[in-house]
Amino acid sequence: QVQLVESGGGLVQAGGSLRLSCAASGSIFSINTMGWYRQAPGKQRELVADITPGGPTNYAVSVKGRFTISRDNAKNTVYLQMNSLKPEDTAVYYCNAAIVQRTTLREFNYWGQGTQVTVSS
């Protein structure tokens, strides 16, 4: 079994910072792309950022220059450092990972349970 566990969400004032973490565990052979998505009330889920095992990253235009995604392959963990937060960043943030399972050697896309980020104005 594979599980993604997220942490680090909370309430912060505009201009503040938060750091999200997502750790994968279970029967993992390898992890390919990992990323963060978010969904605000009444809106579609959108990609915030993702990162490949080798390091290349991708960011939504709305967060470029403010957010930084990183990963620790030895710990099967991906992070999202969020600085200069805005009220528009308020959403549930979901971790995502493309994981090759040890039992099947097939890639499957996993999602975390979500963590709430609320930015007050």
Side-chain angles (χ1 to χ4, degrees):
Q1 315 88 36
V2 174
Q3 184 178 20
L4 299 181
V5 179
E6 302 162 347
S7 62
L11 175 65
V12 65
Q13 290 185 302
S17 298
L18 284 173
R19 191 190 192 211
L20 306 183
S21 299
C22 173
S25 62
S27 299
I28 298 170
F29 180 78
S30 63
I31 303 177
N32 295 320
T33 301
M34 304 183 82
W36 291 93
Y37 293 73
R38 67 186 182 187
Q39 187 165 22
K43 295 186 177 181
Q44 296 274 56
R45 182 175 61 186
E46 65 174 349
L47 174 69
V48 177
D50 60 23
I51 183 169
T52 67
T57 58
N58 182 53
Y59 295 92
V61 172
S62 61
V63 307
K64 278 187 176 179
R66 299 189 297 121
F67 292 9
T68 302
I69 189 170
S70 61
R71 65 190 288 168
D72 185 335
N73 292 328
K75 296 181 178 180
N76 292 336
T77 300
V78 63
Y79 307 93
L80 185 67
Q81 178 66 48
M82 303 184 293
N83 298 326
S84 302
L85 283 161
K86 304 175 181 180
E88 306 94 274
D89 295 317
T90 295
V92 177
Y93 284 69
Y94 296 92
C95 177
N96 175 267
I99 298 175
V100 177
Q101 298 168 286
R102 188 173 294 168
T103 54
T104 65
L105 295 182
R106 290 178 61 86
E107 184 181 280
F108 188 83
N109 198 253
Y110 290 88
W111 291 92
Q113 80 284 358
T115 184
Q116 177 71 48
V117 171
T118 303
V119 184
S120 62
S121 60

